[in-house]
Amino acid sequence: MTSADPIDTSKPHPARVYDWLLGGKDNYPVDQEVGEKLPAEARANAARNRAFMHRAAAWLAREGVDQFLDVGTGIPTAPNLHQIVQRITPAARIVYADNDPIVLRHAEALLVSSPEGATDYLHADVREPEAILGQARKALDFDRPIALSLIALMHFLRDEDDPYGITRTLVGALAPGSFLVLSHGTADQHPELREETERAYRKGAIALRMRTRAEVEPFFEGLELVAPGLVPAAEWYQERPAPAQERSGFYVGVARVR
């Protein structure tokens, strides 16, 4: 676990806005102000996205994946990824990475691993993928399959940040049999809410680049999408019961590294 900069409570942060949307308490008035300006559907969309992460992590653990690299972790909201995974595979190893100092404050909660497994936390920015990989190699074996998790993260990167290139760098370090788990904000199913959503984040000085399905597809370039493919968050599942089929503000997918 590495040290972080002091928490800046004068500016909103995407992780803390997301925490507010999920009903969490680890946010500040500046974050709440952004959240309150978002459409009412934003809370339900955040919950659907979180539920997708739970379903995908559990499926991967049952498929035998026992190493996870979760970039853009956000503030702990139980059950966390390692809790989902280690219920199935107690010896699993999980590395979390985030650039918000408040996440470091709560890292002790993140780091309560099962006795057989291990968790670690990196204070790192996704815009520096090589640095993330360098630190993660201390805890994970990159010669074996790893599940790379990019949940509700890449829509906070502008086109000039090269989100596709960042993803390719991270995925390129993974061994065959690894997986990419990704969710990305979209207005395809809520076109009437695009302007309101973008305005709320813009007023909070938070970059937001929602993308269409065609714009999300390149994140999975060269990978083998697992059925049902790239779909709205409420439509991805492997095991019954199926989630309620509702409009979603996220596209999600799980893909295998060949």
Side-chain angles (χ1 to χ4, degrees):
M1 186 165 57
T2 57
S3 61
D5 299 326
I7 297 170
D8 185 351
T9 62
S10 68
K11 298 177 182 177
H13 189 282
R16 301 196 300 264
V17 175
Y18 190 60
D19 176 72
W20 183 87
L21 290 171
L22 290 172
K25 306 296 184 185
D26 298 302
N27 48 76
Y28 298 97
V30 288
D31 309 303
Q32 298 161 20
E33 185 177 348
V34 173
E36 288 166 354
K37 287 184 170 66
L38 289 169
E41 287 84 351
R43 281 184 179 270
N45 279 326
R48 292 185 196 106
N49 179 67
R50 186 77 178 175
F52 157 71
M53 184 276 284
H54 290 168
R55 295 194 299 272
W59 178 75
L60 287 166
R62 293 189 183 100
E63 287 291 299
V65 178
D66 62 359
Q67 299 189 105
F68 290 76
L69 174 57
D70 183 36
V71 182
T73 298
I75 294 164
T77 304
N80 296 298
L81 186 148
H82 75 280
Q83 293 168 320
I84 296 288
V85 168
Q86 290 181 342
R87 286 173 189 167
I88 300 164
T89 307
R93 304 179 70 85
I94 294 90
V95 172
Y96 293 107
D98 202 284
N99 72 338
D100 186 357
I102 198 174
V103 178
L104 180 60
R105 173 183 288 178
H106 294 278
E108 289 186 2
L110 281 175
L111 296 173
V112 180
S113 171
S114 66
E116 304 91 334
T119 63
D120 198 1
Y121 172 75
L122 312 176
H123 181 71
D125 194 306
V126 69
R127 296 172 185 83
E128 299 176 354
E130 293 289 0
I132 291 175
L133 293 170
Q135 294 182 68
R137 290 182 192 279
K138 299 174 184 177
L140 303 177
D141 180 358
F142 277 73
D143 292 327
R144 297 178 51 244
I146 294 171
L148 168 66
S149 178
L150 303 175
I151 300 293
L153 173 64
M154 304 311 280
H155 50 253
F156 292 116
L157 296 187
R158 301 162 297 180
D159 292 342
E160 51 265 40
D161 293 321
D162 192 17
Y164 303 119
I166 289 170
T167 303
R168 283 192 292 272
T169 297
L170 292 169
V171 170
L174 304 179
S178 297
F179 289 85
L180 170 63
V181 183
L182 182 141
S183 70
H184 195 294
T186 184
D188 281 4
Q189 293 197 331
H190 296 284
E192 73 281 7
L193 303 179
R194 174 186 286 275
E195 183 178 346
E196 185 179 355
T197 301
E198 291 179 339
R199 182 171 60 248
Y201 278 103
R202 189 165 54 248
K203 285 186 175 179
I206 296 175
L208 178 69
R209 174 66 165 88
M210 291 189 289
R211 293 181 170 91
T212 65
R213 189 181 190 282
E215 291 173 317
V216 176
E217 285 178 338
F219 286 107
F220 296 97
E221 182 179 345
L223 305 178
E224 179 187 350
L225 273 164
V226 173
L230 179 59
V231 295
E235 297 179 19
W236 197 98
Y237 69 99
Q238 298 291 328
E239 301 162 345
R240 300 286 177 175
Q245 302 300 291
E246 303 170 300
R247 290 198 304 169
S248 174
F250 289 90
Y251 280 119
V252 305
V254 177
R256 185 180 287 104
V257 177
R258 295 178 288 194

